[in-house]
Amino acid sequence: MRGAKSAKWVAGAIVVAMAATACGGGNDSGAGGGINDGKPDPKGILVAQLSEPQHPLQPANAKESQGSRVLRTIFSGLVDYQPGTGKLEYINAESVTPNKDSSVWTVKLKPGWKFHNGEPVTAKSYVDSWNWSANVKNGQTNSSWFQDIKGYEDVHPEKGKPTSDKMSGLKVVNDNEFTISLKDSISYFAYKLGYDVWAPLPSGFFKDPKGYGEKPVGNGPYKFVSWDHKKLIKVRKYDDYKGSNKAKNGGIDFKNYTTAEAAYSDLRSDQLDWIEQIPTTSLANYKQDLGERAINTDQSSIQTIAFAFYTKQWKNIDPKVKQGLSMAIDRDTITKKTLNGSRVPATSFVAKDVLGYQDGACGEACTYNPKKAKALIKEGGGVPTNKISIQFNADQPHKIWVDAVCNSIRNATGVECVGDSKPDFQADLNARDNKQVKSMHRSGWTLDYPVNANFMRDLYGTTAAGNTDAYSNKKFDKLSAEADKAPTLDETVKKYQEAEKLLAADMPAIPLWYYKVDSGQSKNVFGKIPFAQDGDPIFTDVQVKQK
């Protein structure tokens, strides 16, 4: 739900330009001048909002945005996506080349790269990292990302202990070259390599994974300094970084907040330089409050409500019940009035500006129709117990829209609906991972790579890391496998568009709306914060004013 930096896609075209910077409001009327006044300080420290990461800071152990946000500053991978064009950009890789049928990929590294402890980054650094991360014994939350590689089942069997500690599909050729043999052809495999999970690890990590998870040693533009849990994570510019995306600031203090309101208060008093999301209660006035420091721009993210299929309530439920609940939600009114126009009603399971996005793919199930909603629920046998709950994290402004969704469902169908609040994102995720969700939960997904497969296979595939709800559809899995084996990227995308029709019929989750970046920056920031397509700042390009 995090990953790709700045790629924008539309169906039928591989890359199109996108604006890398955000749009704001009027002039800044506050003290301290406009955002372009003063001079940038290359040693200035940026203070950015963060919630507590769910897991230790290990590249394959973050499928949530908070841990991923930090990992992307500490680690650099093989590829990324160019801001402004969406083209595949080589970072630590010199090249990533497929054979004729895209079943074997050859990776050549740029020489001279080092980890922050001085150790060289080699082909072995990547191969060892991927083998360790895929191994079921190591409990990495994103281990399934390696399942396309030959020999994955040897290190990560469905049952029992691994029979090997190495995947047969990974071969080191020399210090700067290795090969990846896949079980089947995947035309878009190079694009997947931009996600955090594929980062290299230094040799010391494997002797002390827990210690390195608390004090990570990476190869990225920033080096780790400290982690005061649930308070502050510090990273600082790595002066010897070899990548083209060198930091234009001296480092970042990731500051933890338990409520969006507290973060917004600090932003307005310049104690926080970037807020992740404006509180819902301030959406109507934040552009006036912040002036040109207000941020409103697009991102490729979607908000859904997911069913916990492992519960008695949703096991073997008739899809008509799920479709009915979806049709009972008045998305237009909630996005316009409750969320002050800060969201766009979803009509698809895939976020906008992703290759393969289809407007209207969800069909009538994503259209408000209270009469039909009630009828469908009745035809499907009704909602067990006639009551649902929607789990959400209270450290971000979700309660107000959860209440609005519940009111809409209750008024349209008579089904009782309540919010189920968890204190923070970490607690929310832990409940999902431990299969403790009572009924339904808020779910969001941000692109990891800009292809529609990422919003389907990686979220609704039976063995996908993003699928924590025990959803399984054999027809969908079969179509996904066929799509991956398609000889070209265009054919892969079209096949996934077929698979999306299955999702619309089966409703593994209820699409609500597409996110927009409604954020803000302090008077300490020089110029406008540039944003990636995943909705996060491009931190290396953020400049801090001289004081």
Side-chain angles (χ1 to χ4, degrees):
M1 52 181 91
R2 32 307 90 214
K5 295 284 187 183
S6 189
K8 184 173 182 179
W9 301 74
V10 293
I14 299 302
V15 292
V16 295
M18 72 168 286
T21 55
C23 305
N27 292 327
D28 185 351
S29 59
I35 59 175
N36 294 312
D37 291 345
K39 296 181 179 180
D41 179 3
K43 295 183 179 180
I45 304 301
L46 182 78
V47 183
Q49 184 183 5
L50 190 79
S51 296
E52 177 75 356
Q54 184 188 15
H55 297 300
L57 294 172
Q58 301 158 325
N61 216 8
K63 66 184 175 191
E64 41 81 25
S65 58
Q66 307 304 306
S68 182
R69 184 173 296 151
V70 180
L71 285 166
R72 288 199 303 268
T73 67
I74 301 170
F75 290 90
S76 284
L78 297 168
V79 303
D80 206 336
Y81 313 103
Q82 289 181 0
T85 67
K87 291 181 180 179
L88 196 68
E89 179 181 19
Y90 294 122
I91 304 298
N92 197 181
E94 187 73 52
S95 62
V96 181
T97 310
N99 65 348
K100 190 174 181 179
D101 70 351
S102 300
S103 64
V104 180
W105 295 73
T106 299
V107 177
K108 293 184 179 180
L109 301 179
K110 294 175 181 175
W113 276 55
K114 293 183 178 181
F115 288 102
H116 300 150
N117 62 2
E119 178 184 328
V121 178
T122 66
K124 191 174 186 295
S125 307
Y126 281 93
V127 169
D128 287 352
S129 173
W130 299 0
N131 279 325
W132 186 91
S133 298
N135 196 307
V136 67
K137 294 190 302 183
N138 299 320
Q140 298 294 281
T141 189
N142 274 334
S143 57
S144 67
W145 276 76
F146 302 98
Q147 65 184 332
D148 297 317
I149 300 173
K150 282 185 177 179
Y152 173 78
E153 64 279 357
D154 296 329
V155 301
H156 200 114
E158 289 187 19
K159 295 180 180 180
K161 296 180 180 180
T163 58
S164 176
D165 59 359
K166 295 180 178 63
M167 290 181 282
S168 59
L170 298 177
K171 302 292 183 185
V172 173
V173 177
N174 55 51
D175 280 353
N176 292 314
E177 184 177 342
F178 66 101
T179 60
I180 311 165
S181 296
L182 305 179
K183 296 174 185 176
D184 292 297
S185 304
I186 299 181
S187 61
Y188 60 94
F189 186 72
Y191 292 95
K192 298 182 73 168
L193 296 176
Y195 187 33
D196 314 333
V197 70
W198 305 97
L201 287 167
S203 58
F205 173 92
F206 307 104
K207 299 175 184 177
D208 184 17
K210 184 177 180 181
Y212 273 70
E214 290 293 316
K215 298 179 179 180
V217 175
N219 66 325
Y222 298 92
K223 60 184 178 181
F224 175 85
V225 175
S226 62
W227 185 359
D228 188 358
H229 283 274
K230 296 199 173 184
K231 293 182 180 179
L232 188 69
I233 295 177
K234 291 185 178 183
V235 299
R236 294 296 181 262
K237 180 180 179 180
Y238 178 51
D239 292 329
D240 295 328
Y241 179 60
K242 298 295 183 181
S244 58
N245 56 325
K246 293 180 181 290
K248 295 179 181 178
N249 52 63
I252 309 166
D253 284 352
F254 289 104
K255 191 175 180 182
N256 187 278
Y257 287 89
T258 56
T259 68
E261 287 76 16
Y264 188 55
S265 177
D266 270 10
L267 182 82
R268 295 189 67 185
S269 62
D270 299 314
Q271 301 301 305
L272 177 68
D273 297 325
W274 170 72
I275 188 172
E276 181 175 0
Q277 191 175 335
I278 298 294
T280 308
T281 52
S282 301
L283 282 172
N285 300 314
Y286 85 101
K287 292 179 182 178
Q288 181 179 346
D289 292 343
L290 301 178
E292 64 178 340
R293 295 183 291 110
I295 297 166
N296 177 254
T297 189
D298 294 328
Q299 63 169 306
S300 292
S301 302
I302 189 170
Q303 180 81 76
T304 65
I305 304 173
F307 300 88
F309 290 102
Y310 50 80
T311 62
K312 184 178 179 181
Q313 183 174 41
W314 301 118
K315 195 171 185 179
N316 301 319
I317 196 78
D318 190 316
K320 289 181 179 179
V321 176
K322 296 178 286 181
Q323 292 168 355
L325 288 172
S326 179
M327 295 178 75
I329 300 171
D330 188 352
R331 294 164 179 79
D332 285 337
T333 299
I334 294 172
T335 53
K336 288 175 183 176
K337 295 186 177 180
T338 305
L339 296 171
N340 286 280
S342 63
R343 308 286 187 271
V344 178
T347 65
S348 166
F349 289 85
V350 177
K352 287 188 173 184
D353 299 325
V354 170
L355 185 61
Y357 166 74
Q358 304 178 98
D359 186 16
C362 182
E364 67 172 355
C366 287
T367 302
Y368 182 55
N369 188 333
K371 185 177 180 179
K372 190 165 184 179
K374 192 171 185 178
L376 279 171
I377 291 172
K378 185 178 180 179
E379 288 174 25
V383 173
T385 73
N386 203 45
K387 181 179 180 179
I388 61 174
S389 62
I390 302 173
Q391 179 178 298
F392 66 94
N393 51 300
D395 58 345
Q396 286 292 338
H398 299 304
K399 184 180 187 303
I400 191 168
W401 69 256
V402 169
D403 288 345
V405 166
C406 276
N407 287 336
S408 186
I409 290 172
R410 189 184 303 111
N411 292 335
T413 68
V415 174
E416 181 57 31
C417 179
V418 296
D420 180 11
S421 174
K422 301 299 177 186
D424 53 35
F425 196 31
Q426 184 183 47
D428 177 32
L429 291 169
N430 286 339
R432 299 188 210 175
D433 287 348
N434 294 327
K435 292 186 167 34
Q436 295 172 342
V437 175
K438 299 171 185 176
S439 176
M440 304 173 72
H441 66 85
R442 177 200 77 82
S443 181
W445 194 260
T446 298
L447 87 170
D448 302 311
Y449 55 93
V451 182
N452 60 354
N454 183 229
F455 286 82
M456 287 189 278
R457 177 195 169 183
D458 296 325
L459 192 54
Y460 302 116
T462 298
T463 61
N467 182 0
T468 60
D469 299 307
Y471 176 73
S472 184
N473 184 321
K474 291 181 180 179
K475 290 183 180 179
F476 175 78
D477 289 341
K478 184 175 182 291
L479 260 181
S480 297
E482 291 173 1
D484 286 347
K485 294 175 187 177
T488 67
L489 182 58
D490 278 347
E491 290 176 89
T492 292
V493 166
K494 289 177 182 177
K495 202 73 175 178
Y496 269 110
Q497 288 177 327
E498 290 181 36
E500 191 172 6
K501 296 177 183 177
L502 286 178
L503 297 183
D506 202 24
M507 295 298 288
I510 297 175
L512 290 179
W513 40 75
Y514 307 118
Y515 269 105
K516 297 189 75 174
V517 177
D518 287 283
S519 178
Q521 64 187 60
S522 78
K523 296 172 184 173
N524 300 323
V525 177
F526 180 83
K528 204 73 174 180
I529 290 179
F531 278 80
Q533 194 181 350
D534 62 5
D536 266 7
I538 303 174
F539 285 112
T540 51
D541 285 349
V542 179
Q543 295 180 292
V544 179
K545 289 183 179 181
Q546 288 184 3
K547 295 182 179 180

